[in-house]
Amino acid sequence: MLEVAAIASLLSGGLCGLLGYYAQRFNIATLSFSVAHAALAGASLALVIKSDVTYSALVFAILFALGMGIISTRISPHERELISMGFFSLFNAIAIFMVYMSTSYVLSTVSISVVLWGSVLAITKSKLILLAGITAIFMLYLFIFKPQIDSILFDRKLAKAEGVDVDLHTIVLLLFIGIAIAFALRLTGGFLVFTLLYNPVASAMQLVRKAQWQQVLAPTIGMLAALLGLTFSYILDWPVGATIAIISSTILMVAYITRTIINMKLSREARRAQISRGR
Amino acid sequence: MEAIQGEAIRLSDVWVAYSGSGRPAIREINLKIDYNSLILITGPNGAGKTTLIETCLGLLKPIRGEVFLLGVNTKSRKIIKVRRKCSYVPQDFMKPPYESYTAKHVIKLGLATDMCLFGLSDLEIKRRILNVAKMLQIEDLLDRPIGTLSGGQQQKVYIARALVREPKVLFLDEPFSSIDEESRYVIAKVIHEYVHQKKACALVVSHDVDPIIDLSDIIVHMDNGKITNVEVN
């Protein structure tokens, strides 16, 4: 069971870290935040209708990603941010409401822990195979459409002007985010799943400036945070989702402090060089 | 796709406004642009020149009137495929020093839509890149990261990216703004030769008219969002 959880944490951390990198570069971080909470609302609904948490989260996340993906091609980025934040509140409310509606029997099962703080027990072999499949499909997508995706990452407007279907690639990316989150939710819980998407890329951006390095570092940090979180939660008997979130947030803090120290050193050296030139 | 022969772009009573702005950025635009022609669009700041180019490409949708690019209405979803036959050199092109894509890679990105599994061969891509680099005299810049190049050098790389696509329609927004005096005339000549050799058309927005005015077939003057004068050279 622990081996399955370890592999799942590596896959979830790596896939979410990579998706987070693309979400940030595609400028859809807020939208993916709402997709994560759509998955949470779906997972919570599963408690009431007594269905599988992952599949219910998957349906909610995919429908929302598809709907908002299509709508966002017709509205400005500013409007998209506002609508996304509105949905974030709505999905949180739905999640809380569904937990409130759950019977006492449901509240004592493993399902509730999956929705709220994640569970090692919730990761089965069949879910692991599906997660591995999704990871493989996403890597294949990146391989086939690498030139178009690179073009969007380099200059979104220019890519659009040259006939790259930027809107379609954005919707596809949102769908992958929705699917990945629905699976990763079993490990981290619905309220913290976004940390796997956001914290690794935020840390990578603090540590390196070149996009190519960020692309490698973000999934690496994601895998490291998920695996360390799982290990600490096992040793200390802490909730796995919260432990992963604490580890990834600590990495982000360390990365931020490192970047600040480097920036201070660089500006001090630049000042010294300026003074010596003045003499 | 090219419904109307000889006509690359047609704008009929086009009005465009940015969201949140009450005043249209361009209005009452009627223009027909044929193949095998070089069009110079000139006018003061805020005249609507960039808006006109982005409207022709379908990046901005008109609130009134219709725009046809290579015979396809820019409101249609088919416009995405039509844009593959066009190239654009934007006004805001500067990349920061840490941008590590090499000039060669940036030019190659121009072929992104032709580089699917059964698209252009590596040999053809290499040939095209070397060809445009030679035309624009930037062979020595190809392996340098774009962020380390000067504004003028970056601008030449973007023009190379536009030409490597061998487009039917070229849109160039202030292509001489960062380029030195001598190179401006070289680039203007390259654009002119390309248009007439390939029977394509080019829309060049420029404040600096000297390098290109004599090579232009039509000169469109804009002011306050309207076309104020059209001269045939």
Side-chain angles (χ1 to χ4, degrees):
Chain A
M1 182 54 78
L2 200 64
E3 288 89 356
V4 172
I7 298 168
S9 68
L10 282 172
L11 281 176
S12 304
L15 180 61
C16 287
L18 193 60
L19 283 164
Y21 165 79
Y22 284 103
Q24 191 276 327
R25 293 291 307 270
F26 269 61
N27 209 12
I28 52 166
T30 315
L31 195 49
S32 51
F33 187 63
S34 300
V35 172
H37 286 83
L40 168 66
S44 311
L45 179 69
L47 297 177
V48 178
I49 61 170
K50 296 185 181 66
S51 69
D52 186 282
V53 167
T54 303
Y55 299 135
S56 183
L58 206 56
V59 170
F60 255 64
I62 287 176
L63 286 180
F64 180 70
L66 207 57
M68 267 310 286
I70 293 166
I71 291 169
S72 69
T73 61
R74 290 165 170 77
I75 56 178
S76 70
H78 178 64
E79 286 170 316
R80 188 180 64 201
E81 300 279 293
L82 291 176
I83 294 171
S84 298
M85 289 314 286
F87 273 110
F88 156 69
S89 314
L90 176 70
F91 291 136
N92 268 343
I94 292 173
I96 301 287
F97 200 71
M98 292 300 152
V99 172
Y100 176 78
M101 297 260 291
S102 306
T103 60
S104 54
Y105 165 74
V106 167
L107 291 172
S108 64
T109 62
V110 75
S111 303
I112 190 76
S113 61
V114 172
V115 173
L116 295 180
W117 52 76
S119 168
V120 178
L121 294 172
I123 302 151
T124 58
K125 264 191 185 162
S126 62
K127 294 283 187 314
L128 181 66
I129 291 166
L130 283 172
L131 183 61
I134 289 299
T135 309
I137 293 170
F138 183 60
M139 299 308 283
L140 189 68
Y141 163 75
L142 289 183
F143 173 73
I144 293 172
F145 295 101
K146 190 181 185 309
Q148 288 93 323
I149 293 166
D150 277 355
S151 179
I152 298 170
L153 296 185
F154 182 74
D155 191 320
R156 193 183 169 90
K157 188 172 165 185
L158 188 54
K160 199 170 186 175
E162 289 177 345
V164 175
D165 201 337
V166 177
D167 295 337
L168 183 67
H169 284 293
T170 306
I171 293 170
V172 170
L173 181 61
L174 272 174
L175 283 174
F176 274 115
I177 289 171
I179 296 166
I181 279 176
F183 283 100
L185 185 137
R186 297 184 82 85
L187 190 70
T188 59
F191 284 104
L192 294 170
V193 70
F194 192 74
T195 55
L196 273 186
L197 210 60
Y198 179 76
N199 284 359
V201 66
S203 309
M205 284 169 67
Q206 296 299 321
L207 293 172
V208 289
R209 300 190 89 174
K210 287 185 178 174
Q212 286 93 326
W213 285 110
Q214 290 171 4
Q215 195 175 4
V216 176
L217 202 55
T220 309
I221 292 172
M223 285 195 279
L224 185 73
L227 195 63
L228 280 177
L230 185 77
T231 310
F232 279 110
S233 103
Y234 181 73
I235 295 168
L236 302 169
D237 197 21
W238 285 358
V240 63
T243 316
I244 291 173
I246 289 169
I247 299 277
S248 71
S249 300
T250 308
I251 294 172
L252 176 57
M253 286 298 162
V254 170
Y256 175 73
I257 292 166
T258 309
R259 168 55 53 196
T260 310
I261 292 169
I262 291 169
N263 283 350
M264 278 164 62
K265 268 190 178 172
L266 286 174
S267 61
R268 208 178 301 146
E269 273 169 26
R271 225 178 300 137
R272 268 194 212 135
Q274 210 174 3
I275 292 166
S276 64
R277 267 203 304 271
R279 279 175 193 161
Chain B
M1 203 166 275
E2 286 150 31
I4 307 142
Q5 213 178 7
E7 193 177 273
I9 304 167
R10 180 158 51 92
L11 298 99
S12 313
D13 188 27
V14 169
W15 294 55
V16 176
Y18 291 96
S19 62
S21 164
R23 209 171 139 263
I26 54 172
R27 57 205 161 100
E28 297 167 44
I29 304 288
N30 289 291
L31 198 62
K32 189 174 91 69
I33 297 163
D34 292 333
Y35 291 110
N36 203 17
S37 59
L38 202 164
I39 319 295
L40 171 64
I41 302 168
T42 188
N45 286 337
K49 306 183 294 291
T50 300
T51 306
L52 178 65
I53 277 195
E54 293 188 355
T55 305
C56 289
L57 267 164
L59 297 175
L60 295 171
K61 304 281 183 249
I63 52 167
R64 195 170 133 182
E66 283 182 324
V67 182
F68 289 88
L69 177 62
L70 300 176
V72 171
N73 192 322
T74 56
K75 284 179 184 165
S76 149
R77 209 180 135 69
K78 283 183 191 160
I79 197 68
I80 296 169
K81 276 197 175 167
V82 170
R83 286 190 198 126
R84 292 177 189 172
K85 295 179 183 176
C86 306
S87 287
Y88 179 41
V89 176
Q91 198 175 8
D92 47 342
F93 58 87
M94 279 299 282
K95 290 289 170 193
Y98 54 81
E99 183 61 73
S100 55
Y101 281 107
T102 61
K104 194 196 287 173
H105 195 171
V106 173
I107 299 170
K108 197 175 165 185
L109 286 178
L111 298 168
T113 50
D114 299 312
M115 282 161 62
C116 51
L117 287 180
F118 305 104
L120 291 175
S121 68
D122 285 350
L123 205 69
E124 172 64 7
I125 291 169
K126 204 173 165 188
R127 187 195 65 78
R128 282 204 199 180
I129 293 173
L130 286 175
N131 193 24
V132 288
K134 209 171 163 187
M135 273 200 291
L136 294 163
Q137 300 163 5
I138 55 165
E139 295 116 300
D140 54 327
L141 305 179
L142 288 179
D143 292 320
R144 285 178 56 188
I146 186 93
T148 64
L149 303 180
S150 70
Q153 288 170 328
Q154 286 197 32
Q155 204 162 22
K156 285 182 188 174
V157 171
Y158 277 84
I159 295 168
R161 174 171 166 163
L163 291 172
V164 82
R165 293 164 53 78
E166 299 185 354
K168 280 266 170 216
V169 188
L170 253 170
F171 296 94
L172 301 114
D173 197 352
E174 299 290 355
F176 314 117
S177 62
S178 304
I179 290 172
D180 60 84
E181 188 76 20
E182 196 186 327
S183 299
R184 287 174 196 192
Y185 288 88
V186 172
I187 287 168
K189 197 167 160 257
V190 167
I191 296 167
H192 178 257
E193 280 172 4
Y194 177 83
V195 164
H196 294 292
Q197 268 173 18
K198 301 273 178 184
K199 304 272 180 269
C201 88
L203 264 83
V204 182
V205 162
S206 187
H207 270 106
D208 179 15
V209 296
D210 289 347
I212 202 150
I213 196 158
D214 291 336
L215 302 172
S216 304
D217 300 301
I218 296 169
I219 302 150
V220 177
H221 297 270
M222 288 187 76
D223 195 12
N224 205 19
K226 286 176 83 170
I227 292 175
T228 51
N229 191 23
V230 177
E231 284 173 53
V232 178
N233 233 355

